[in-house]
Amino acid sequence: MAALELVPMTEEQYLRYRHRAEISYAHDIAASGAVPLPEAQEKSRQDYDRLLPGGLATEGHHLWTAYEVDVEIGMLWLHLERKSDGLHAFGYDFHVESDLRRKGYGRAIMQAAEQLCREWGVVSVGLSVFGFNFGARDLYEQMGYEVTAIQMRKRL
């Protein structure tokens, strides 16, 4: 694998991302059993509107497209927030194109993000993952991420 590069998203890429991401997030919410799909679709739209009211220009939020040479591999969305003990990052979204999964690109994107965070003086990186996303959970654990909270439910 060649060197992976994170490049700030263009407005066109953001609009494509936002459309895809709202649909994907809604399906993940529904698949988790939290709410039925119609409510999940509304929650997804509201969450994106709340988190990114200014789109790419939303303060504290950084969205990149990941490239290997000139091939678009995926994307990354980080939010930076200063707390009493320093600068913290939260990974809101991270995506590898479906035909490129299981080839090391996810790990490479995460490593590139961690390198950026080190350069910025970030003291910790957090993220959320749906319980059914075993591949992502496995990758995050391999990379040293620790569980900080667990939500559980039982369907009756």
Side-chain angles (χ1 to χ4, degrees):
M1 180 180 347
L4 187 124
E5 182 181 14
L6 294 178
V7 177
M9 264 188 197
T10 65
E11 190 64 32
E12 179 184 327
Q13 288 169 327
Y14 173 74
L15 293 175
R16 262 186 316 168
Y17 160 72
R18 176 81 181 252
H19 176 74
R20 178 200 54 80
E22 281 189 35
I23 292 168
S24 176
Y25 180 46
H27 284 277
D28 285 346
I29 294 168
S32 76
V35 294
L37 185 58
E39 287 93 338
Q41 290 167 327
E42 182 59 21
K43 176 176 176 23
S44 178
R45 186 192 61 74
Q46 289 176 357
D47 285 354
Y48 275 89
D49 285 347
R50 177 179 49 82
L51 292 168
L52 294 169
L56 286 175
T58 304
E59 187 175 340
H61 292 262
H62 304 273
L63 290 96
W64 294 275
T65 301
Y67 290 93
E68 181 182 48
V69 186
D70 60 350
V71 177
E72 194 172 311
I73 301 302
M75 62 76 57
L76 173 71
W77 169 17
L78 287 180
H79 175 247
L80 299 178
E81 181 180 6
R82 184 149 308 276
K83 297 182 180 180
S84 62
D85 63 343
L87 190 61
H88 292 256
F90 187 85
Y92 274 105
D93 201 358
F94 149 60
H95 174 78
V96 174
E97 296 299 326
S98 58
D99 60 329
L100 298 173
R101 292 184 184 150
R102 310 295 302 167
K103 296 180 180 179
Y105 291 115
R107 181 178 306 277
I109 292 172
M110 295 295 293
Q111 288 170 333
E114 288 178 5
Q115 183 56 41
L116 278 172
C117 287
R118 283 185 193 90
E119 292 169 11
W120 292 335
V122 169
V123 298
S124 77
V125 179
L127 53 81
S128 289
V129 61
F130 284 100
F132 60 80
N133 193 343
F134 295 107
R137 289 172 50 190
D138 186 47
L139 172 64
Y140 301 148
E141 288 174 8
Q142 287 175 25
M143 295 190 69
Y145 287 78
E146 300 171 333
V147 173
T148 59
I150 296 176
Q151 250 187 355
M152 297 176 75
R153 75 181 290 134
K154 179 180 179 180
R155 296 202 49 87
L156 302 176

Coordinates of all heavy atoms in Angstrom, one line a residue, residues 45-121:
R45 N -31.0 13.1 10.2 CA -31.0 14.4 9.7 C -30.8 15.5 10.8 O -30.0 16.4 10.6 CB -32.3 14.7 8.9 CG -32.3 16.0 8.2 CD -33.7 16.4 7.7 NE -34.7 16.5 8.8 CZ -34.7 17.6 9.7 NH1 -33.8 18.5 9.6 NH2 -35.6 17.6 10.6
Q46 N -31.5 15.3 11.9 CA -31.3 16.3 13.0 C -29.9 16.3 13.6 O -29.4 17.4 13.9 CB -32.4 16.0 14.1 CG -33.8 16.3 13.7 CD -34.8 16.0 14.7 OE1 -34.5 15.4 15.8 NE2 -36.1 16.3 14.5
D47 N -29.3 15.1 13.8 CA -28.0 15.0 14.3 C -27.0 15.7 13.4 O -26.1 16.5 13.9 CB -27.6 13.6 14.5 CG -28.2 12.9 15.7 OD1 -28.9 13.6 16.5 OD2 -28.1 11.7 15.9
Y48 N -27.1 15.5 12.1 CA -26.1 16.1 11.2 C -26.4 17.7 11.1 O -25.4 18.4 11.1 CB -26.2 15.5 9.8 CG -25.3 14.3 9.6 CD1 -25.8 13.1 9.9 CD2 -24.0 14.4 9.2 CE1 -25.0 11.9 9.8 CE2 -23.2 13.3 9.1 CZ -23.7 12.1 9.4 OH -22.9 11.0 9.4
D49 N -27.6 18.1 11.2 CA -27.9 19.5 11.2 C -27.3 20.2 12.5 O -26.8 21.3 12.4 CB -29.4 19.8 11.1 CG -30.0 19.6 9.7 OD1 -29.2 19.5 8.8 OD2 -31.2 19.5 9.6
R50 N -27.4 19.5 13.6 CA -27.0 20.0 14.9 C -25.4 20.0 14.9 O -24.8 21.0 15.4 CB -27.5 19.2 16.0 CG -27.0 19.6 17.4 CD -27.7 18.7 18.5 NE -27.6 17.3 18.2 CZ -26.5 16.5 18.5 NH1 -25.4 17.0 19.0 NH2 -26.6 15.2 18.2
L51 N -24.8 18.9 14.5 CA -23.4 18.8 14.6 C -22.6 19.7 13.5 O -21.5 20.1 13.8 CB -22.9 17.4 14.5 CG -23.3 16.5 15.7 CD1 -23.1 15.0 15.3 CD2 -22.6 16.9 16.9
L52 N -23.2 19.8 12.4 CA -22.5 20.5 11.3 C -23.4 21.6 10.7 O -23.7 21.6 9.5 CB -22.1 19.5 10.2 CG -21.0 18.5 10.5 CD1 -20.9 17.4 9.4 CD2 -19.7 19.1 10.7
P53 N -23.8 22.6 11.5 CA -24.7 23.6 11.0 C -24.1 24.5 9.9 O -24.8 25.0 9.1 CB -25.0 24.4 12.3 CG -23.8 24.2 13.2 CD -23.4 22.8 12.9
G54 N -22.8 24.6 9.9 CA -22.1 25.3 8.9 C -21.4 24.5 7.9 O -20.5 24.9 7.1
G55 N -21.8 23.2 7.8 CA -21.1 22.3 6.9 C -19.7 22.2 7.1 O -19.2 22.1 8.3
L56 N -18.9 22.3 6.1 CA -17.4 22.2 6.2 C -16.8 23.3 7.0 O -15.7 23.2 7.6 CB -16.8 22.2 4.8 CG -16.9 21.0 4.0 CD1 -16.3 21.2 2.6 CD2 -16.2 19.8 4.7
A57 N -17.6 24.4 7.1 CA -17.1 25.6 7.9 C -17.4 25.6 9.4 O -17.1 26.5 10.1 CB -17.6 26.9 7.2
T58 N -18.0 24.5 9.8 CA -18.4 24.4 11.2 C -17.1 24.4 12.1 O -16.3 23.5 11.9 CB -19.3 23.1 11.5 OG1 -20.4 23.2 10.6 CG2 -19.7 23.1 13.0
E59 N -17.1 25.3 13.0 CA -15.9 25.5 13.9 C -15.6 24.2 14.7 O -16.5 23.6 15.3 CB -16.1 26.6 14.9 CG -14.9 27.0 15.7 CD -15.1 28.2 16.6 OE1 -16.0 29.0 16.3 OE2 -14.3 28.3 17.5
G60 N -14.4 23.8 14.7 CA -13.9 22.7 15.5 C -14.0 21.3 14.8 O -13.6 20.3 15.3
H61 N -14.7 21.3 13.6 CA -14.9 20.1 12.9 C -14.0 20.1 11.7 O -13.9 21.1 11.0 CB -16.4 19.9 12.5 CG -17.3 19.7 13.7 ND1 -17.7 18.5 14.1 CD2 -17.8 20.6 14.6 CE1 -18.5 18.6 15.1 NE2 -18.6 19.9 15.5
H62 N -13.4 18.9 11.4 CA -12.5 18.7 10.3 C -12.9 17.5 9.5 O -13.0 16.4 10.1 CB -11.1 18.6 10.8 CG -10.6 19.7 11.6 ND1 -10.1 20.9 11.1 CD2 -10.7 19.9 13.0 CE1 -9.8 21.7 12.1 NE2 -10.2 21.2 13.2
L63 N -13.2 17.7 8.2 CA -13.5 16.5 7.4 C -12.5 16.4 6.3 O -12.2 17.4 5.6 CB -14.9 16.7 6.8 CG -16.1 16.6 7.9 CD1 -16.5 18.0 8.4 CD2 -17.2 15.9 7.3
W64 N -12.0 15.2 6.1 CA -11.0 14.9 5.1 C -11.5 13.8 4.1 O -12.2 12.9 4.6 CB -9.7 14.5 5.7 CG -9.0 15.4 6.6 CD1 -8.1 16.4 6.2 CD2 -9.0 15.5 8.0 NE1 -7.6 17.1 7.2 CE2 -8.2 16.6 8.4 CE3 -9.8 14.8 9.0 CZ2 -8.0 16.9 9.7 CZ3 -9.6 15.2 10.3 CH2 -8.7 16.3 10.6
T65 N -10.9 13.8 2.9 CA -11.0 12.7 2.0 C -9.7 12.0 2.1 O -8.6 12.7 2.1 CB -11.3 13.2 0.6 OG1 -12.6 13.9 0.6 CG2 -11.5 12.0 -0.3
A66 N -9.7 10.7 2.1 CA -8.4 9.9 2.2 C -8.1 9.4 0.8 O -9.0 8.9 0.1 CB -8.6 8.7 3.1
Y67 N -6.9 9.6 0.4 CA -6.4 9.2 -0.9 C -5.2 8.3 -0.8 O -4.3 8.5 0.1 CB -6.0 10.4 -1.8 CG -7.1 11.3 -2.2 CD1 -7.4 12.5 -1.4 CD2 -7.8 11.1 -3.4 CE1 -8.4 13.3 -1.8 CE2 -8.8 12.0 -3.8 CZ -9.1 13.1 -3.0 OH -10.1 13.9 -3.4
E68 N -5.1 7.4 -1.7 CA -3.8 6.7 -2.0 C -3.4 7.1 -3.4 O -4.2 6.7 -4.4 CB -4.0 5.2 -1.9 CG -2.7 4.4 -2.1 CD -2.9 2.9 -2.0 OE1 -3.8 2.4 -2.7 OE2 -2.1 2.3 -1.4
V69 N -2.4 7.8 -3.5 CA -2.0 8.5 -4.8 C -3.2 9.3 -5.2 O -3.5 10.3 -4.5 CB -1.5 7.5 -5.8 CG1 -1.0 8.2 -7.0 CG2 -0.5 6.5 -5.3
D70 N -3.9 9.0 -6.3 CA -5.0 9.9 -6.7 C -6.3 9.1 -6.6 O -7.4 9.6 -7.1 CB -4.8 10.4 -8.1 CG -4.7 9.3 -9.1 OD1 -4.5 8.1 -8.7 OD2 -4.7 9.6 -10.3
V71 N -6.4 8.0 -5.9 CA -7.6 7.2 -5.7 C -8.2 7.5 -4.4 O -7.6 7.5 -3.3 CB -7.2 5.7 -5.8 CG1 -8.5 4.8 -5.5 CG2 -6.6 5.3 -7.1
E72 N -9.5 7.9 -4.4 CA -10.3 8.2 -3.2 C -10.6 6.9 -2.5 O -11.2 6.0 -3.0 CB -11.6 8.9 -3.6 CG -12.2 9.6 -2.5 CD -13.4 10.5 -2.9 OE1 -13.2 11.3 -3.8 OE2 -14.5 10.3 -2.3
I73 N -10.1 6.8 -1.3 CA -10.1 5.6 -0.5 C -11.3 5.6 0.5 O -12.0 4.7 0.8 CB -8.8 5.4 0.3 CG1 -7.6 5.3 -0.6 CG2 -8.9 4.2 1.2 CD1 -7.8 4.2 -1.6
G74 N -11.5 6.8 1.1 CA -12.5 7.0 2.1 C -12.5 8.4 2.7 O -12.1 9.3 2.0
M75 N -13.0 8.5 4.0 CA -13.1 9.8 4.6 C -12.9 9.7 6.1 O -13.0 8.6 6.7 CB -14.4 10.5 4.2 CG -15.6 9.8 4.7 SD -16.1 9.9 6.4 CE -16.2 11.7 6.7
L76 N -12.7 10.9 6.7 CA -12.6 11.0 8.2 C -13.2 12.3 8.6 O -13.0 13.3 8.0 CB -11.1 10.9 8.5 CG -10.8 11.2 10.0 CD1 -11.2 10.0 10.9 CD2 -9.3 11.4 10.2
W77 N -13.9 12.2 9.8 CA -14.5 13.4 10.4 C -14.1 13.5 11.8 O -14.5 12.6 12.6 CB -16.0 13.4 10.2 CG -16.8 14.4 11.0 CD1 -16.3 15.6 11.6 CD2 -18.2 14.4 11.2 NE1 -17.3 16.2 12.2 CE2 -18.5 15.5 12.0 CE3 -19.2 13.5 10.9 CZ2 -19.8 15.8 12.4 CZ3 -20.5 13.8 11.3 CH2 -20.8 14.9 12.1
L78 N -13.3 14.5 12.2 CA -12.9 14.7 13.6 C -13.4 16.0 14.1 O -13.5 17.0 13.4 CB -11.4 14.7 13.7 CG -10.6 13.4 13.6 CD1 -9.1 13.7 13.7 CD2 -11.0 12.4 14.6
H79 N -13.8 16.0 15.4 CA -14.1 17.2 16.1 C -13.1 17.4 17.2 O -12.7 16.5 17.9 CB -15.5 17.1 16.8 CG -15.9 18.2 17.6 ND1 -16.0 18.1 19.0 CD2 -16.1 19.5 17.3 CE1 -16.3 19.3 19.5 NE2 -16.4 20.2 18.5
L80 N -12.6 18.6 17.3 CA -11.6 19.0 18.4 C -12.3 19.8 19.4 O -13.0 20.8 19.0 CB -10.4 19.7 17.8 CG -9.6 18.9 16.7 CD1 -8.5 19.8 16.2 CD2 -9.1 17.6 17.3
E81 N -12.0 19.6 20.7 CA -12.6 20.3 21.8 C -11.6 20.5 22.9 O -11.0 19.5 23.3 CB -13.8 19.6 22.3 CG -14.5 20.4 23.4 CD -15.8 19.6 23.9 OE1 -16.1 18.5 23.4 OE2 -16.5 20.2 24.7
R82 N -11.4 21.7 23.3 CA -10.5 22.0 24.5 C -11.2 21.7 25.8 O -12.3 22.2 26.0 CB -9.9 23.4 24.4 CG -8.9 23.6 25.5 CD -7.8 24.6 25.2 NE -7.1 24.4 24.0 CZ -6.0 23.6 23.8 NH1 -5.6 22.9 24.8 NH2 -5.4 23.6 22.7
K83 N -10.6 20.9 26.6 CA -11.2 20.6 28.0 C -10.1 21.1 29.0 O -9.0 21.5 28.6 CB -11.5 19.2 28.1 CG -12.6 18.7 27.1 CD -13.0 17.3 27.3 CE -14.1 16.9 26.3 NZ -14.5 15.5 26.4
S84 N -10.5 20.9 30.3 CA -9.5 21.4 31.3 C -8.2 20.7 31.3 O -7.2 21.3 31.7 CB -10.2 21.2 32.7 OG -10.4 19.8 32.9
D85 N -8.1 19.5 30.7 CA -6.8 18.8 30.7 C -6.2 18.8 29.3 O -5.2 18.1 29.1 CB -7.0 17.3 31.2 CG -7.9 16.5 30.3 OD1 -8.7 17.1 29.5 OD2 -7.9 15.3 30.4
G86 N -6.7 19.6 28.4 CA -6.1 19.6 27.1 C -7.0 19.5 25.9 O -8.3 19.4 26.1
L87 N -6.5 19.3 24.8 CA -7.3 19.2 23.5 C -7.7 17.7 23.3 O -6.8 16.8 23.4 CB -6.4 19.7 22.4 CG -7.1 19.9 21.0 CD1 -8.3 20.9 21.1 CD2 -6.1 20.4 20.0
H88 N -9.0 17.5 23.1 CA -9.5 16.2 22.8 C -10.1 16.1 21.5 O -10.6 17.1 21.0 CB -10.6 15.8 23.9 CG -10.0 15.6 25.3 ND1 -9.8 14.4 25.8 CD2 -9.6 16.5 26.2 CE1 -9.3 14.6 27.0 NE2 -9.2 15.9 27.3
A89 N -10.0 14.9 20.8 CA -10.6 14.7 19.5 C -11.7 13.6 19.6 O -11.6 12.7 20.5 CB -9.6 14.3 18.5
F90 N -12.7 13.8 18.8 CA -13.7 12.8 18.7 C -14.0 12.4 17.3 O -14.2 13.4 16.5 CB -15.1 13.2 19.4 CG -16.1 12.1 19.5 CD1 -16.1 11.2 20.5 CD2 -17.0 11.9 18.5 CE1 -17.0 10.2 20.6 CE2 -17.9 10.9 18.5 CZ -17.9 10.0 19.6
G91 N -13.9 11.2 16.9 CA -14.1 10.7 15.5 C -15.6 10.5 15.3 O -16.1 9.5 15.8
Y92 N -16.2 11.4 14.6 CA -17.7 11.2 14.4 C -17.9 10.2 13.2 O -18.9 9.5 13.2 CB -18.3 12.6 14.0 CG -18.8 13.3 15.3 CD1 -18.1 14.4 15.7 CD2 -19.9 12.9 16.0 CE1 -18.5 15.1 16.8 CE2 -20.3 13.6 17.1 CZ -19.6 14.6 17.5 OH -20.0 15.3 18.7
D93 N -17.0 10.2 12.2 CA -17.3 9.3 11.1 C -15.9 9.0 10.5 O -15.0 9.8 10.5 CB -18.2 9.9 10.1 CG -18.9 8.9 9.2 OD1 -18.6 7.7 9.4 OD2 -19.7 9.3 8.4
F94 N -15.9 7.8 9.9 CA -14.7 7.2 9.3 C -15.2 6.2 8.4 O -16.0 5.3 8.7 CB -13.9 6.7 10.5 CG -13.0 5.5 10.2 CD1 -12.0 5.6 9.2 CD2 -13.1 4.4 10.9 CE1 -11.2 4.5 8.9 CE2 -12.3 3.3 10.6 CZ -11.3 3.4 9.7
H95 N -14.8 6.3 7.1 CA -15.4 5.4 6.1 C -14.4 5.0 5.1 O -13.5 5.8 4.7 CB -16.5 6.2 5.4 CG -17.1 5.5 4.2 ND1 -18.0 4.5 4.3 CD2 -16.9 5.6 2.9 CE1 -18.4 4.0 3.1 NE2 -17.7 4.7 2.2
V96 N -14.4 3.7 4.7 CA -13.6 3.2 3.7 C -14.6 2.7 2.6 O -15.5 2.0 2.9 CB -12.7 2.0 4.1 CG1 -12.0 1.4 3.0 CG2 -11.7 2.5 5.2
E97 N -14.3 3.0 1.3 CA -15.1 2.6 0.2 C -15.3 1.1 0.3 O -14.4 0.4 0.6 CB -14.5 3.0 -1.1 CG -14.4 4.5 -1.3 CD -15.7 5.3 -1.3 OE1 -16.8 4.7 -1.7 OE2 -15.8 6.4 -0.8
S98 N -16.5 0.6 0.1 CA -16.9 -0.8 0.3 C -16.0 -1.8 -0.5 O -15.7 -2.8 0.1 CB -18.4 -1.0 0.0 OG -18.7 -0.7 -1.3
D99 N -15.6 -1.4 -1.7 CA -14.8 -2.3 -2.5 C -13.3 -2.4 -2.0 O -12.6 -3.2 -2.5 CB -14.9 -2.1 -4.0 CG -14.5 -0.6 -4.3 OD1 -14.6 0.3 -3.5 OD2 -14.0 -0.5 -5.5
L100 N -13.0 -1.5 -1.1 CA -11.6 -1.4 -0.6 C -11.4 -1.9 0.8 O -10.3 -1.8 1.4 CB -11.1 0.0 -0.8 CG -11.0 0.6 -2.2 CD1 -10.7 2.0 -2.2 CD2 -10.1 -0.2 -3.0
R101 N -12.5 -2.4 1.4 CA -12.4 -2.8 2.8 C -11.6 -4.1 3.0 O -11.5 -4.8 2.0 CB -13.8 -3.0 3.4 CG -14.5 -1.6 3.5 CD -15.9 -1.7 4.1 NE -16.5 -0.4 4.1 CZ -17.8 -0.2 4.0 NH1 -18.6 -1.2 4.0 NH2 -18.2 1.0 3.9
R102 N -11.1 -4.3 4.2 CA -10.3 -5.5 4.5 C -9.0 -5.5 3.8 O -8.4 -6.6 3.6 CB -11.1 -6.8 4.3 CG -12.5 -6.8 4.9 CD -12.6 -6.8 6.3 NE -11.9 -7.8 7.0 CZ -11.7 -7.8 8.3 NH1 -12.2 -6.8 9.1 NH2 -11.1 -8.8 8.9
K103 N -8.5 -4.3 3.5 CA -7.2 -4.2 2.8 C -6.2 -3.3 3.5 O -5.1 -3.0 3.0 CB -7.4 -3.7 1.4 CG -8.2 -4.7 0.5 CD -8.4 -4.1 -0.9 CE -9.2 -5.1 -1.7 NZ -9.5 -4.7 -3.0
G104 N -6.5 -2.9 4.8 CA -5.6 -2.1 5.6 C -5.9 -0.6 5.5 O -5.2 0.1 6.2
Y105 N -6.8 -0.2 4.7 CA -7.1 1.2 4.5 C -7.7 1.9 5.8 O -7.4 3.0 6.1 CB -7.9 1.5 3.3 CG -7.2 1.3 2.0 CD1 -7.7 0.2 1.2 CD2 -6.1 2.0 1.6 CE1 -7.1 0.0 -0.1 CE2 -5.5 1.7 0.4 CZ -6.0 0.7 -0.4 OH -5.3 0.5 -1.6
G106 N -8.5 1.1 6.4 CA -9.1 1.6 7.7 C -8.1 1.9 8.7 O -8.1 3.0 9.3
R107 N -7.2 1.0 8.9 CA -6.1 1.2 9.8 C -5.2 2.4 9.4 O -4.8 3.2 10.2 CB -5.2 -0.1 9.9 CG -4.1 0.0 10.9 CD -3.3 -1.3 10.9 NE -4.2 -2.5 11.2 CZ -4.5 -2.8 12.5 NH1 -4.1 -2.2 13.5 NH2 -5.3 -3.9 12.6
A108 N -5.0 2.5 8.1 CA -4.1 3.6 7.6 C -4.8 4.9 7.8 O -4.1 5.9 8.2 CB -3.8 3.4 6.1
I109 N -6.1 5.0 7.6 CA -6.8 6.3 7.9 C -6.7 6.6 9.4 O -6.5 7.8 9.8 CB -8.3 6.2 7.4 CG1 -8.3 6.1 5.9 CG2 -9.1 7.4 7.9 CD1 -9.7 5.9 5.3
M110 N -7.0 5.6 10.2 CA -6.9 5.8 11.7 C -5.5 6.3 12.1 O -5.3 7.2 12.9 CB -7.3 4.6 12.4 CG -8.8 4.2 12.2 SD -9.9 5.4 12.8 CE -9.7 5.2 14.6
Q111 N -4.5 5.7 11.5 CA -3.1 6.0 11.9 C -2.8 7.5 11.4 O -2.1 8.2 12.1 CB -2.1 5.0 11.3 CG -2.1 3.7 12.0 CD -1.4 2.6 11.3 OE1 -1.2 2.6 10.0 NE2 -0.9 1.6 12.0
A112 N -3.3 7.8 10.2 CA -3.1 9.2 9.8 C -3.8 10.2 10.7 O -3.2 11.3 11.0 CB -3.6 9.3 8.3
A113 N -5.0 9.9 11.1 CA -5.7 10.7 12.1 C -5.0 10.9 13.4 O -4.8 12.0 13.9 CB -7.1 10.2 12.3
E114 N -4.4 9.8 13.9 CA -3.7 9.8 15.2 C -2.4 10.7 15.0 O -2.1 11.4 15.9 CB -3.4 8.4 15.6 CG -4.6 7.6 16.1 CD -4.2 6.2 16.6 OE1 -3.0 5.8 16.6 OE2 -5.2 5.5 16.9
Q115 N -1.8 10.6 13.9 CA -0.6 11.4 13.6 C -0.9 12.9 13.6 O -0.3 13.7 14.2 CB 0.1 11.0 12.3 CG 1.4 11.8 12.1 CD 2.4 11.6 13.2 OE1 2.6 10.6 13.8 NE2 3.0 12.7 13.6
L116 N -2.0 13.2 13.0 CA -2.5 14.6 13.0 C -2.8 15.1 14.4 O -2.4 16.2 14.8 CB -3.8 14.8 12.1 CG -3.6 15.0 10.7 CD1 -5.0 14.9 10.0 CD2 -2.9 16.3 10.3
C117 N -3.5 14.2 15.2 CA -3.8 14.6 16.5 C -2.5 14.7 17.4 O -2.5 15.7 18.2 CB -4.7 13.5 17.1 SG -6.4 13.6 16.5
R118 N -1.5 13.9 17.2 CA -0.3 14.1 17.9 C 0.3 15.4 17.6 O 0.8 16.2 18.5 CB 0.7 13.0 17.6 CG 0.4 11.7 18.3 CD 1.5 10.6 18.0 NE 1.0 9.3 18.4 CZ 0.4 8.4 17.7 NH1 0.1 8.7 16.4 NH2 0.0 7.3 18.2
E119 N 0.4 15.8 16.3 CA 0.9 17.1 15.9 C 0.2 18.2 16.5 O 0.8 19.3 16.8 CB 0.9 17.2 14.3 CG 1.9 16.2 13.7 CD 1.7 16.1 12.2 OE1 1.0 16.9 11.6 OE2 2.3 15.1 11.6
W120 N -1.1 18.1 16.7 CA -1.9 19.2 17.3 C -1.9 19.2 18.8 O -2.5 20.1 19.4 CB -3.4 19.1 16.8 CG -3.6 19.3 15.4 CD1 -2.9 20.1 14.5 CD2 -4.7 18.8 14.6 NE1 -3.4 20.1 13.3 CE2 -4.5 19.3 13.3 CE3 -5.8 18.0 14.9 CZ2 -5.4 19.0 12.3 CZ3 -6.6 17.7 13.8 CH2 -6.5 18.2 12.6
G121 N -1.3 18.2 19.4 CA -1.2 18.1 20.9 C -2.5 17.6 21.5 O -2.7 17.8 22.7

